[in-house]
Amino acid sequence: MFESSLSASAMRPPFSSVDTPSMADSLPSINFGFEELRDRMAKFTVKFDDFVEKGRKRVLEERNHFRINVAELHEDQRMKKRDIEILALKSTTHSQILQKEAQETSEMHSAVASITKQRDSRAADRERLRQQIAEVQKTINQRLDAQRQHAQQLDNQARFNAPELDFWQDYLCLRIEGAGIDDHLKFYFTHVDEREWGKEVWFELGMWSREYEVLQCKPNIAKEKVERMVERFNENRDLGLFLKGMRDLFVAILK
């Protein structure tokens, strides 16, 4: 529209300067639409301000949301760090408990091994003692049997020796007494010293085993002579011959 107005005016012939109107008066009126433009600018300004305000609010909301998210992340990080510390503490405690249990288990195994060793040793000692007791009991039984046999022999011998012993007591001027100890007898003789018929001599005979033994004599007789006499007595078991031999020894040393 503006271009068409300009081209039309350019094709017109020039006016005279005296009676004709001025060129400016002859120009067509141009409508630039400032009111519409102002209205459009005002509407644009309102829309732009609304856009800016909404954008500012959105930025603020996003910033606030971001801050909340960051705060939540920090809190979550702090909680996770605390959880990690708690788990690390629990892990350390659990490791210490496992180490302690392993040590206690090792000590228990050592104690069990020691007790087992002691049990085995005591079982071996018990078995050895059982064998020793059995051997000792066997020996005791053998000795008891021997003593019973010996007692039986003595009893049998006493039955035959009683009359003979009475004869030898009268014939040898003999007196027999206990020595105050089991299986010990003292044999007293008189009329062995021609200078003193009432003088007594004696010897002590031990009979706790099968082999008899003369323990002491008064007065003393040579040891080898007594041993030969006892040895013959243990061989032949002739009590009368033994008593006569001992009397002869006393008579010999008192001459």
Side-chain angles (χ1 to χ4, degrees):
M1 178 179 168
F2 183 71
E3 290 178 354
S4 61
S5 300
L6 288 176
S7 60
S9 61
M11 293 175 62
R12 291 175 183 174
F15 295 97
S16 63
S17 57
V18 179
D19 295 327
T20 60
S22 66
M23 188 175 184
D25 292 335
S26 63
L27 291 175
S29 61
I30 300 173
N31 185 7
F32 289 98
F34 287 109
E35 293 298 332
E36 182 182 357
L37 179 61
R38 186 180 297 109
D39 184 60
R40 291 175 62 187
M41 287 296 295
K43 292 180 178 180
F44 173 77
T45 300
V46 172
K47 291 182 178 180
F48 182 77
D49 290 342
D50 183 64
F51 172 77
V52 171
E53 182 64 22
K54 291 180 178 179
R56 187 178 67 82
K57 288 182 178 180
R58 185 171 64 253
V59 169
L60 289 177
E61 290 176 356
E62 290 178 355
R63 182 184 297 174
N64 292 333
H65 185 67
F66 175 76
R67 288 177 179 176
I68 292 173
N69 289 337
V70 170
E72 290 178 353
L73 288 174
H74 286 168
E75 181 65 18
D76 186 60
Q77 183 179 8
R78 188 182 68 81
M79 294 299 294
K80 290 186 180 300
K81 183 177 180 181
R82 180 175 177 82
D83 292 340
I84 291 172
E85 292 176 353
I86 294 173
L87 290 175
L89 180 61
K90 290 182 178 180
S91 177
T92 302
T93 305
H94 183 65
S95 177
Q96 292 176 352
I97 292 174
L98 290 178
Q99 184 177 1
K100 183 177 180 181
E101 289 179 351
Q103 182 178 358
E104 291 177 351
T105 302
S106 177
E107 292 176 354
M108 289 178 64
H109 285 310
S110 298
V112 169
S114 177
I115 293 173
T116 303
K117 184 177 180 180
Q118 291 178 3
R119 183 199 62 190
D120 295 341
S121 176
R122 289 178 180 176
D125 293 340
R126 184 169 57 252
E127 183 63 26
R128 184 170 58 255
L129 288 174
R130 185 181 293 112
Q131 293 177 358
Q132 291 177 355
I133 290 172
E135 292 176 358
V136 171
Q137 187 65 43
K138 181 179 179 181
T139 302
I140 291 173
N141 292 335
Q142 291 174 351
R143 290 183 179 180
L144 288 175
D145 292 339
Q147 289 179 359
R148 282 192 292 267
Q149 293 176 3
H150 180 58
Q152 184 66 35
Q153 291 176 356
L154 290 178
D155 184 60
N156 295 334
Q157 185 69 31
R159 293 176 184 176
F160 294 104
N161 288 341
E164 185 179 0
L165 183 60
D166 292 338
F167 168 77
W168 287 113
Q169 285 178 347
D170 294 337
Y171 178 73
L172 299 176
C173 299
L174 172 67
R175 186 178 84 255
I176 303 173
E177 293 182 357
I181 303 175
D182 292 341
D183 298 325
H184 288 67
L185 292 177
K186 278 187 176 182
F187 296 83
Y188 295 86
F189 297 102
T190 59
H191 297 79
V192 293
D193 188 352
E194 294 179 354
R195 297 181 299 273
E196 187 180 354
W197 292 111
K199 182 177 181 179
E200 286 187 338
V201 296
W202 58 269
F203 71 91
E204 183 177 345
L205 183 66
M207 299 181 297
W208 59 82
S209 67
R210 182 174 178 80
E211 299 295 326
Y212 294 160
E213 181 180 355
V214 173
L215 302 176
Q216 55 182 331
C217 300
K218 187 178 180 181
N220 289 330
I221 304 174
K223 183 177 180 181
E224 59 274 9
K225 293 181 181 180
V226 175
E227 288 179 350
R228 283 197 299 270
M229 190 66 65
V230 174
E231 184 178 355
R232 285 196 297 269
F233 176 47
N234 287 326
E235 290 176 355
N236 55 38
R237 295 296 178 180
D238 192 336
L239 180 60
L241 183 61
F242 170 68
L243 294 175
K244 185 176 182 302
M246 289 298 296
R247 177 183 176 83
D248 292 341
L249 293 176
F250 282 118
V251 171
I253 64 172
L254 290 176
K255 283 184 178 181

